Amino acid sequence: VLMFRPTSDNALKIAESIKKFQTQKHVYLLCDLDDDLWNLPHYHFAASGYRKHFRRMREIYDMADMVWVSTEQLRYSVGDLGRTVTIPNAVMPGNLPDKPAPYKGIACWRGSTAQFTDVTAPFAREWYKNWRSKYERWRFWGYWPNLEHGANVDFVDYDEVLDFFASLGSTGANVFWKPLEENAFNDAKSSIAWMEATMAGGVCVTNYAGKDGWECALPEFTTDPELIAETWQRSKYHILQNYNMLEVNRKRFESIVRLIGG
């Protein structure tokens, strides 16, 4: 039985039933975790909602026979105990374009209200203020944060689309900005924003550049087409070598085989 972010009383009852009858039924509990929910900043919009479920979630994760986490840092929140397996977010090779997007001087921030504290933090405001006039266009995709915008800024409404990456790529952005406040929650966050940028034909700019998972992100904005193309090529190669969905799924399957003793 696979549970993803289990929070309800029913989820706890199911977990308890699995453990109670496990020896007779040979049923195993596998939980997945992709965010450090126990370390959500108190001002995060979802913090109060998850806080009500912390005790129940901890009980369920403690009962799990195996836990999949998306980053190494999440092991510490779960409590490894030899049952935690890191399964990173990954990319299907076919979703990577053959070449970067043509340089048009477009920058983009992609996110929702869940990231508003990151993009409106004082350091992010200063960063944006210094660079908002250096690009032909700025695009905010999904959420328009309360910042001092210029005439070259527009908003792209987010639609639930099947081909998310093609839709993101349609922004034409060469640079995708991902400011992150430095806290325990973001320290455990996966670098999916960098992967999204690469799949959209652009590069990721973040203050987390150089940290685990963000090795191919840039620490500062750039309008240099050659640097952008070079960084994109390096990012694509790094994804194919380390975040290839075909290889990651093999690791996922092998962990299940180990769990059931097959």
Side-chain angles (χ1 to χ4, degrees):
V1 177
L2 172 61
M3 291 187 177
F4 176 70
R5 296 195 185 192
T7 58
S8 68
D9 284 330
N10 281 338
L12 180 58
K13 290 176 183 176
I14 291 171
E16 289 172 339
S17 296
I18 292 170
K19 303 310 291 183
K20 182 177 179 180
F21 298 108
Q22 191 169 62
T23 53
Q24 299 101 311
K25 299 296 184 181
H26 303 290
V27 178
Y28 298 89
L29 177 60
L30 172 60
C31 288
D32 187 279
L33 185 67
D34 71 335
D35 274 320
D36 190 352
L37 300 174
W38 290 279
N39 277 309
L40 277 170
H42 67 88
Y43 47 79
H44 192 282
F45 85 105
S48 59
Y50 274 111
R51 196 171 293 118
K52 296 182 297 184
H53 307 299
F54 278 176
R55 182 189 58 79
R56 189 183 303 117
M57 287 173 57
R58 177 60 68 189
E59 286 186 58
I60 296 171
Y61 277 97
D62 284 349
M63 282 190 280
D65 298 291
M66 179 176 285
V67 181
W68 285 339
V69 294
S70 55
T71 68
E72 286 293 314
Q73 292 89 335
L74 282 173
R75 287 176 177 268
Y76 300 107
S77 285
V78 173
D80 192 353
L81 303 176
R83 62 197 175 91
T84 309
V85 180
T86 303
I87 307 288
N89 284 313
V91 173
M92 286 298 292
N95 281 340
L96 289 164
D98 295 328
K99 56 185 178 181
Y103 185 78
K104 296 180 181 178
I106 300 175
C108 178
W109 178 86
R110 198 284 298 174
S112 67
T113 52
Q115 291 88 41
F116 84 94
T117 55
D118 292 307
V119 74
T120 58
F123 83 95
R125 289 180 179 276
E126 189 66 23
W127 213 354
Y128 179 56
K129 178 182 177 181
N130 293 336
W131 280 91
R132 66 187 177 194
S133 63
K134 293 181 172 61
Y135 289 94
E136 292 294 320
R137 300 298 308 168
W138 267 89
R139 292 195 169 128
F140 287 88
W141 200 76
Y143 168 69
W144 198 330
N146 182 21
L147 297 169
E148 295 180 20
H149 301 296
N152 65 329
V153 180
D154 54 33
F155 173 68
V156 181
D157 195 13
Y158 173 71
D159 293 318
E160 291 286 348
V161 292
L162 290 175
D163 198 339
F164 170 84
F165 305 111
S167 183
L168 186 59
S170 69
T171 61
N174 307 111
V175 168
F176 287 84
W177 183 37
K178 189 64 176 179
L180 293 167
E181 288 190 292
E182 298 201 17
N183 53 46
F185 177 71
N186 283 336
D187 286 346
K189 184 187 292 290
S190 74
S191 55
I192 190 66
W194 157 69
M195 297 185 202
E196 288 176 355
T198 309
M199 284 184 279
V203 298
C204 178
V205 171
T206 176
N207 52 302
Y208 268 57
K211 294 189 177 184
D212 185 32
W214 302 92
E215 295 90 347
C216 296
L218 292 175
E220 186 56 273
F221 285 106
T222 180
T223 55
D224 182 347
E226 290 188 6
L227 176 59
I228 290 173
E230 176 188 310
T231 303
W232 182 86
Q233 291 287 353
R234 185 159 53 90
S235 293
K236 178 180 179 179
Y237 178 79
H238 193 65
I239 286 174
L240 290 174
Q241 294 297 308
N242 299 281
Y243 302 98
N244 186 321
M245 184 73 79
L246 303 177
E247 295 300 322
V248 169
N249 277 348
R250 183 175 292 111
K251 182 176 182 180
R252 196 186 305 273
F253 175 76
E254 290 171 351
S255 71
I256 294 174
V257 171
R258 287 197 306 275
L259 176 61
I260 65 176

